[in-house]
Amino acid sequence: MDYNNNGPDLRNDPSMQPGGYPPYPQQYPPGNSQVVLREVGQQKENRMAVTSLVLGIVTLIFFWIPFISVITGIAGMVIAIISLIKEDSRVMPITGMVLSIIGLALGSLVVLGFIAEYLMGITRY
């Protein structure tokens, strides 16, 4: 620190404001300029796309429980199709649909496995 006051003398600087702070820069351009304001919350909400994605994830996680996977898989596919038609977003509904289809396919394999095991158990005895 320099306590000898060897720095620039800002007290007599004409560009300084009375409070000792430099002047504020001009915030808006002069003249007839157009200022564009963006509203908060202008971003579109993709609730149906998010719902289809969540249902696809639930279908994929619970594919080993046939009732849950069938209900959530079909609901996820229907909501994804509606979202693709109504909303601008494409990535989330397609991802939700793909996850729902994969979960339904795995759930179908589980059901077929249960049926095959049941039929094999009947023929053994």
Side-chain angles (χ1 to χ4, degrees), residues 18-34:
Y21 299 105
Y24 292 109
Q26 191 174 9
Q27 293 181 355
Y28 299 106
N32 294 332
S33 62
Q34 184 179 9

Side-chain angles (χ1 to χ4, degrees), residues 15-16 23 41 44 52 55 57 65-66 90 93 96 101 107-108 112 122:
S15 68
M16 295 297 287
K44 281 189 131 182
S52 68
L55 286 173
I57 292 170
I65 304 173
R90 296 279 184 242
I101 291 171
S108 300
L112 288 175
I122 289 176

Side-chain angles (χ1 to χ4, degrees), residues 100-123:
S100 295
I101 291 171
I102 291 171
L104 277 172
L106 290 174
S108 300
L109 289 176
V110 168
V111 170
L112 288 175
F114 285 147
I115 292 172
E117 185 177 343
Y118 176 74
L119 291 176
M120 293 301 284
I122 289 176
T123 58

Side-chain angles (χ1 to χ4, degrees), residues 51-65 68-69 72-73 99-100 103:
T51 304
S52 68
L53 183 65
V54 168
L55 286 173
I57 292 170
V58 168
T59 304
L60 195 59
I61 290 174
F62 293 109
F63 73 90
W64 49 276
I65 304 173
I68 293 177
S69 67
T72 58
L99 291 177
S100 295

